[in-house]
Amino acid sequence: MSKTLNLPKRVGPKPDTTHGLPHSQITQHGPDHIVDQMREWAFSLPCVENRDSLVSVPGARAMVMHDGAACNHDAFMIGREFAHIHPHPDNGSMHVQLPHHDALEVVEKGWGEHHTLVLAGRRPVGLVMVFSPRDEAELDTIKTILSRSYEAVTAQKIAA
């Protein structure tokens, strides 16, 4: 893995979010066709299954590694789940497990924020809420972030 994601700075103010559980994005959700493209891409990754999340709200779709896939078990948020995408009304935001330095870059560049449980000291830095992509350019950045999470789990590089 490269040392940095090299993300661009996210344009505009940070969306409004909740600070309890569930941890949700309230404003600035992307349009359905962009979020649908993100979901389609995410669940087409090799050995990734689309399942109910074990830790999110009803309707959240988890990116779960197939039981037969060789994985770094330290890279999961729970079980074999390394990310989940939130449903309406919190359309397209997601929680993603990332390596420490990547999570810090996502937050610093404005693409997400630390999970409420990280801020409360109940989870280590790495679990972030990534904001919903608002357009094609943001979708490309979100794919880069999800790719890094996938790489941390599988040790396989993929093209975003």
Side-chain angles (χ1 to χ4, degrees), residues 5 35 45 73 84 89 95 102 115 132-133 137:
L5 285 167
V35 174
L45 294 172
H73 291 276
H84 57 252
H95 285 109
D102 294 323
H115 191 286
S132 181

Side-chain angles (χ1 to χ4, degrees), residues 1 8 23 33-34 36-37 67 72 76 85 89 91 97 118 132 143-144 153 160:
M1 268 188 278
H23 183 212
H33 74 280
I34 297 288
D36 289 346
Q37 286 178 49
D67 287 340
N72 169 11
F76 293 119
I85 303 171
N91 193 32
Q97 186 68 45
V118 172
S132 181
K143 287 178 179 179
T144 298
V153 168

Side-chain angles (χ1 to χ4, degrees), residues 85-116:
I85 303 171
H86 300 134
H88 280 283
D90 183 9
N91 193 32
S93 72
M94 65 193 81
H95 285 109
V96 179
Q97 186 68 45
L98 289 164
H100 182 277
H101 61 282
D102 294 323
L104 293 176
E105 182 178 354
V106 166
V107 172
E108 176 191 328
K109 300 281 182 73
W111 292 100
E113 65 185 25
H114 297 291
H115 191 286
T116 301

Side-chain angles (χ1 to χ4, degrees), residues 34-96:
I34 297 288
V35 174
D36 289 346
Q37 286 178 49
M38 179 187 69
R39 280 190 186 99
E40 192 174 305
W41 177 85
F43 292 112
S44 72
L45 294 172
C47 298
V48 171
E49 296 179 356
N50 180 343
R51 294 194 192 161
D52 291 331
S53 174
L54 296 176
V55 290
S56 189
V57 297
R61 303 311 304 162
M63 295 176 70
V64 177
M65 291 304 296
H66 184 274
D67 287 340
C71 300
N72 169 11
H73 291 276
D74 293 334
F76 293 119
M77 65 175 71
I78 187 169
R80 294 175 74 84
E81 180 175 337
F82 64 95
H84 57 252
I85 303 171
H86 300 134
H88 280 283
D90 183 9
N91 193 32
S93 72
M94 65 193 81
H95 285 109
V96 179

